[in-house]
Amino acid sequence: MEKLKRKEVYEEYKDKVLVAERRILHALDFCFNVDHAYKHVLLTVKKSVSANPEIAQVAWNFVNDSLRTLLSLQHEPLKIAVTVVHLASKFLKITIEGDGSAPLVEGSEDISNRILDLYSKTGLPAGSCQMSSASMSEGTTTKSAAAA
């Protein structure tokens, strides 16, 4: 008798899961193609005046780490790329073209905060870098000025 009851409960949960999956598929319009920000990071760095490979590497690491969130599903890859390049330049204290205190693209503040929250919540280092929120809040300077 108990075995029959467990099977009924199992069947009920199975049906609920299948209905939920169907709803998700319809909400996504059965589209599973996700364009990631990697190529946009490289293009954004190449277009900047200071096409610095260090910025590209740190920005790439930010994109890698952002995949632990839903950002790639919620924002366009170009927005993510521009934001992570901006974060990388602030982290490395290198000024790049278009770098400033104003948001670079709509939603960049949300993207930045969600990526930085990932590090503060998990203790995860930023890619190959040891990043803290304090180092990101400092002003940016040029690399040559920082070295002097």
Side-chain angles (χ1 to χ4, degrees), residues 81-92:
V82 170
T83 303
V84 297
V85 169
H86 177 74
L87 280 174
S89 71
K90 288 181 83 172
F91 178 71
L92 295 171

Side-chain angles (χ1 to χ4, degrees), residues 41-42 44-46 48-63 81-97 99 129 140-143:
V41 164
L42 297 177
T44 302
V45 171
K46 283 182 183 179
S48 73
V49 171
S50 60
N52 188 320
E54 287 181 275
I55 291 177
Q57 182 60 57
V58 173
W60 191 278
N61 293 341
F62 280 132
V63 173
V82 170
T83 303
V84 297
V85 169
H86 177 74
L87 280 174
S89 71
K90 288 181 83 172
F91 178 71
L92 295 171
K93 299 178 182 169
I94 298 172
T95 302
I96 59 173
E97 181 182 342
D99 197 41
C129 308
T140 59
T141 60
T142 61
K143 190 170 186 170

